[in-house]
């Protein structure tokens, strides 16, 4: 298993030949105002540029969103690449690739 922290909660996980993108916050640095009520609310978010090219981040087998706060799911990038929003919620165990151990994912 290989885990790459992209930003805050955004992770890229490679496991058993499957690539997961977790909590994608992929907007350009400073695209949003700071989060009100936080110690550094004066700082715009995201705080840093993406450390990997967008194309690398989007070459995944599955996207997992833990919840839909802005720092875990920012839908602007998804619309720009033709992904629908919001992401349909589905138990991972129902995906054929998880059940069978293969890397074949259903088309959306």
């Amino acid at each position: 298993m290989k885990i790459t922290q992209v930003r805050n909660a955004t992770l890229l996980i490679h496991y058993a030949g499957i690539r997961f993108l977790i909590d994608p916050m992929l907007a350009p640095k400073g695209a949003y105002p700071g989060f009100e009520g936080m110690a550094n609310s004066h700082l715009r978010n995201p705080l840093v540029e993406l450390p990997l090219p967008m194309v690398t981040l989007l070459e995944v087998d599955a996207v997992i969103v833990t919840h839909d706060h802005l720092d875990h799911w920012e839908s602007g990038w998804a619309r720009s690449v033709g992904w629908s929003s919001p992401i349909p919620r589905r138990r991972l165990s129902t995906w054929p690739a998880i059940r069978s151990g293969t890397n074949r994912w259903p088309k959306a």
Side-chain angles (χ1 to χ4, degrees):
M1 177 173 11
K2 179 182 177 187
I3 300 173
T4 303
Q5 183 175 20
V6 177
R7 291 183 176 146
N8 185 28
T10 305
L11 302 171
L12 185 59
I13 298 176
H14 299 223
Y15 178 75
I18 300 170
R19 295 169 46 101
F20 298 92
L21 180 62
I22 313 296
D23 289 340
M25 190 345 167
L26 305 179
K29 177 183 176 182
Y32 297 99
F35 297 119
E36 194 173 317
M38 304 302 286
N40 292 317
S41 61
H42 61 285
L43 299 176
R44 294 186 63 81
N45 285 289
L47 298 175
V48 298
E49 294 292 350
L50 288 171
L52 301 167
M54 182 71 83
V55 66
T56 300
L57 294 170
L58 297 179
E59 289 175 351
V60 296
D61 300 297
V63 175
I64 299 172
V65 179
T66 60
H67 59 285
D68 63 358
H69 289 168
L70 180 61
D71 58 334
H72 293 260
W73 169 246
E74 182 273 317
S75 61
W77 67 268
R79 284 190 301 275
S80 73
V81 297
W83 287 14
S84 63
S85 173
I87 290 178
R89 288 162 175 78
R90 191 169 178 192
R91 295 178 85 98
L92 278 178
S93 61
T94 67
W95 289 69
I98 296 294
R99 284 198 320 266
S100 68
T102 67
N103 196 14
R104 289 185 224 111
W105 294 89
K107 299 291 181 201

